[in-house]
Amino acid sequence: MSKNHLFAAIVWSAALAATGAAADVRNSADASKQAVSEQSDAEEAAIRRVLSEFRTTRVPLSQAMAIAERLHSGSKTADISFEIAGPAVYRIRTLRNERVWENAIDAKTGDVTGKETTFSLKELDREDLAKFVALKWIKQELSDAVQVAEKAAGGNALAGGLMRQDGRLNFVVVVASGDHLKEVMLEPPKIRGQTSGDR
């Protein structure tokens, strides 16, 4: 996951899937106000579409994580997102030792779909590498953060992962609650001998 919030990524991917590409050049101050309004309208429409698709799923996020982790014994989920560009799937990256696997789990059937991608930690960009290495040492797992976030937000999680913000490493979980998406940030217990800034 990039540094951008999972919430923004979900909304953006849904907006792209819903609207397709379009370009329009305008040369006035009103154009920027209209663009902001259109962006807000597009985000609202994207959120409605994500929530509508998510309500039809039969596989909760925690079950999708368990399915992906069983594919590679001893692995743990590094991040997961709900995608609706085609059939609704959870895209999950799991980690064990120096290997990372990316799989798609059908959100309605729980079946593994598409081609698995495998890569080593060495192939990750610097930001993802730091998060994945930290994940190896954090006692709490993403599944724990999902349970806490779902209870706190009163809904069902549809995405989650580790994210560094303001020098702190946090689990960020996006929860569908009623007609809204809520972003819940949870700071994992500190690793003995480290502070948040050391990670």
Side-chain angles (χ1 to χ4, degrees), residues 1-146:
M1 295 275 158
S2 70
K3 187 173 179 177
N4 295 332
H5 291 293
L6 295 170
F7 177 81
I10 290 169
V11 171
W12 179 246
S13 67
L16 289 177
T19 62
D24 185 14
V25 178
R26 297 183 180 114
N27 293 319
S28 72
D30 290 338
S32 67
K33 287 180 185 177
Q34 184 175 354
V36 169
S37 176
E38 288 172 1
Q39 181 179 357
S40 179
D41 291 346
E43 287 175 1
E44 286 297 319
I47 289 170
R48 284 192 301 274
R49 182 162 185 250
V50 167
L51 290 170
S52 175
E53 287 288 327
F54 188 67
R55 287 184 191 112
T56 68
T57 64
R58 294 187 185 106
V59 178
L61 179 131
S62 57
Q63 183 180 346
M65 288 181 3
I67 292 166
E69 289 172 355
R70 281 194 301 267
L71 294 173
H72 303 284
S73 183
S75 67
K76 60 194 228 180
T77 301
D79 54 49
I80 182 169
S81 61
F82 179 70
E83 297 181 0
I84 60 171
V89 298
Y90 293 103
R91 185 148 320 272
I92 306 168
R93 291 195 297 177
T94 55
L95 166 72
R96 185 185 71 216
N97 298 327
E98 301 298 313
R99 302 298 306 161
V100 177
W101 296 272
E102 183 175 301
N103 293 95
I105 307 295
D106 188 295
K108 292 186 180 179
T109 65
D111 295 333
V112 178
T113 183
K115 186 177 177 181
E116 176 178 81
T117 304
T118 306
F119 44 96
S120 74
L121 287 179
K122 294 175 185 174
E123 297 174 67
L124 296 173
D125 64 31
R126 185 176 168 183
E127 185 176 328
D128 275 347
L129 177 61
K131 289 185 287 190
F132 276 57
V133 168
L135 186 64
K136 293 166 84 173
W137 299 104
I138 294 172
K139 292 180 184 177
Q140 184 183 27
E141 295 190 15
L142 181 56
S143 57
D144 301 321
V146 166

Side-chain angles (χ1 to χ4, degrees), residues 149-183:
E150 287 180 331
K151 188 173 182 178
N156 297 306
L158 57 101
L162 271 177
M163 193 168 298
R164 186 176 297 277
Q165 184 175 357
D166 300 328
R168 293 179 176 266
L169 194 61
N170 296 306
F171 282 112
V172 177
V173 180
V174 178
V175 177
S177 179
D179 291 334
H180 304 284
L181 292 177
K182 297 180 179 179
E183 187 178 84

